[in-house]
Amino acid sequence: MKPVSDRAEFAAAKASEPKKLFIKSFGCQMNVYDATRMADVLAPDGYEETAQIEQADLIVLNTCHIREKAAEKVFSELGKLRQLKEERQARGESTRIAVAGCVAQAEGAEILRKQRAVDLVVGPQNYHRLPDLVRESVARPVVDTEFPVEDKFDHLTAPSDEKIRERGVTAFLTVQEGCDKFCTFCVVPYTRGAEVSRPAAKIVAEAEILARAGVREITLLGQNVDAYHGMGEDGAIWSLARLLRRLAQIEGILRLRFTTSHPNDMTDDLIEAFADLPALMPFLHLPVQSGSDAILEAMNRRHSAQDYIRLIEKIRRARPDLALSSDFIVGFPGEADADFKATLDLISEVGFASSFSFKYSPRPGTPGADLPDQVDEAVKTERLYRLQDLVERQRQQFNASLVGQVTPVLFEKPGRHNGQVAGKSPYLQPVQIDGSAELIGRQVPVEIVRCGSNSLFGRLVETGSEGAA
Ligand code: SAH
Ligand code: SF4
Ligand code: F3S
């Protein structure tokens, strides 16, 4: 038997002491994924997640910098956390407060100056160093926003099967991070750095762990996911399509999705994957931002409205049951009424199943913030209202079009009422049926009988002697 040093014994004793961790995420799905990885990397140090923030020994705010409101929210949250920290201190309990995510990357040490209760600021590329940083922060506040040379993914702890099961039958998996596109409104190239693709073998291994523990649907994440070009298992560079084909072979994986894509990286092989990979869901989030060529150019999107429309036609030819969602920005500098009308026209022509829309928010350090002809707040508000009215009508119409149809549903959790079970359609619509919890983790055909404002309601379709399954 190996002798155990005092130090190792001490570390083991410390690690087994349970401590409570609370992570609050803002922003995009990548932050949701990062939160799981932060919890995983802190678990060996004895940190267990809690849903009760008042009990947390370590609170992580996983922040978003995309619009001014998102960034401001962080500081109002931090004000509340400072109070909580003081209350706990009065009871003799200590609390570490960490700021992670894109505001951490963008503002760094400035956060410590604005809010003294913060112990630790950590950028998205440094999460593998969290356990060390938390320990260091006991003595004094620490900031780590350097872009490290090592790959954080090589140092992040894998989750336990139990943890994966707790998180449910759908999972996110980051395959690509960062962005080289530099749209003139966007902070992401600054907060997440240059585009990097993870090697396929690492992604496959992570997907296999998830599938073995019961995950049935994986959404591949990247700020520019369709630009994925990672080292393949055969040593060649793989595209996203090649990666999807490989992941579809993993036993247990019933559904694959990917987000977010840029129109210019929707290559022919990716479009073909929609045609012949049944596991790839016929639902694509493809942000267009604007329908005006002048605005698209000022945004540095590098495609025209017609390019986008032609691309959609091509993808729909490959997968006729495909539905789309998109992001729109209203009130980008210089956007005249005619430009805005062009956006509404594009929406009417394409038809979206759902979408996200935002008022342009000038972000420090981005070229858009310095452009002349900033649009009045009142004009932005009015345009957003009109755009949302149109896309909401399209969404309702799309939902209603499912009624009477049979669609596969992957069941995820018990439903709202006893005896009900809830899942998602291929188009991410929530679906409720009367059925048993045994359906959770299975994909079965469901006839949609009614649609509410957000959910669809259905019943199991009998499939011969095996019954409902
Ligand atoms: N990588 C994705 C989007 C990342 S940000 C893409 O290429 O489309 C998500 C969405 O936030 C963007 O699509 C855009 O619609 C919106 N957004 C980004 N910066 C913004 C800003 N400064 N003001 C308003 N909306 C913004
Ligand atoms: Fe931002 Fe444009 Fe990159 Fe998307 S493609 S993350 S909008 S810079
Ligand atoms: Fe926000 Fe950063 Fe995501 S700015 S949208 S959390 S990449």
Side-chain angles (χ1 to χ4, degrees), residues 321-340:
D321 61 344
L322 184 107
L324 289 146
S325 69
S326 191
D327 292 344
F328 302 97
I329 295 178
V330 299
F332 186 80
E335 186 187 73
D337 279 339
D339 297 304
F340 176 62

Side-chain angles (χ1 to χ4, degrees), residues 118-180:
V118 173
D119 300 284
L120 163 59
V121 177
V122 57
Q125 301 311 323
N126 305 67
Y127 295 153
H128 56 302
R129 307 223 282 249
L130 257 177
D132 284 343
L133 295 170
V134 171
R135 277 189 288 269
E136 281 170 41
S137 74
V138 175
R140 65 189 131 53
V142 269
V143 177
D144 190 354
T145 54
E146 296 294 313
F147 284 101
V149 273
E150 75 269 22
D151 179 358
K152 69 172 169 193
F153 291 108
D154 288 342
H155 302 273
L156 284 167
T157 323
S160 64
D161 284 5
E162 190 193 342
K163 201 78 223 169
I164 297 170
R165 270 192 288 274
E166 249 171 53
R167 289 172 185 160
V169 298
T170 65
F172 292 132
L173 203 177
T174 292
V175 302
Q176 177 278 333
E177 244 188 299
C179 183
D180 297 339

